[in-house]
């Protein structure tokens, strides 16, 4: 059974509804509201896997800044993909 929480982006602190993706011509809910939130979580998991050093702590600080930018959006598409990778689906 789906709940309202299933329709909210999985990035901690994000309250936007998830995006819909086409799978076999059927729209299904994604996990995140946008590529930016998905990329943010990918980067966060990568940092979590690293040994804690001063450099990694600095990167966490940068990631907190990105989280603040994402949380301040007026629309989930206000910030595009963080990693510069674009989808070629439908082209």
């Amino acid at each position: 059974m789906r709940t309202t929480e299933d329709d909210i982006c999985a990035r901690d602190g994000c309250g936007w509804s998830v995006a819909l993706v086409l799978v076999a011509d059927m729209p299904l809910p994604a996990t995140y509201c946008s590529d930016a939130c998905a990329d943010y979580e990918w980067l966060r998991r990568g940092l979590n896997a690293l040994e804690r050093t001063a450099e990694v702590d600095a990167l966490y600080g940068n990631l907190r800044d990105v989280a603040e930018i994402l949380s301040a959006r007026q629309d989930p598409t206000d910030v595009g993909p963080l990693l510069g990778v674009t989808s070629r689906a439908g082209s």
Side-chain angles (χ1 to χ4, degrees):
M1 169 185 265
R2 293 180 53 78
T3 65
T4 305
E5 290 178 5
D6 292 335
D7 296 332
I8 301 298
C9 181
R11 183 183 65 82
D12 198 24
C14 185
W16 291 104
S17 296
V18 296
L20 294 176
V21 293
L22 285 177
V23 176
D25 293 327
M26 181 170 31
L28 297 173
T31 304
Y32 302 101
C33 67
S34 65
D35 289 338
C37 279
D39 291 348
Y40 173 90
E41 284 299 315
W42 183 83
L43 292 166
R44 186 190 58 77
R45 286 191 308 269
L47 287 178
N48 287 346
L50 296 174
E51 182 179 335
R52 292 300 291 257
T53 64
E55 291 85 9
V56 171
D57 287 340
L59 292 172
Y60 271 115
N62 292 340
L63 202 57
R64 279 191 296 278
D65 292 342
V66 171
E68 289 176 14
I69 292 168
L70 293 176
S71 295
R73 296 175 293 175
Q74 299 299 311
D75 184 87
T77 60
D78 283 349
V79 177
L82 302 178
L83 300 178
V85 178
T86 57
S87 171
R88 294 185 179 259
S91 58

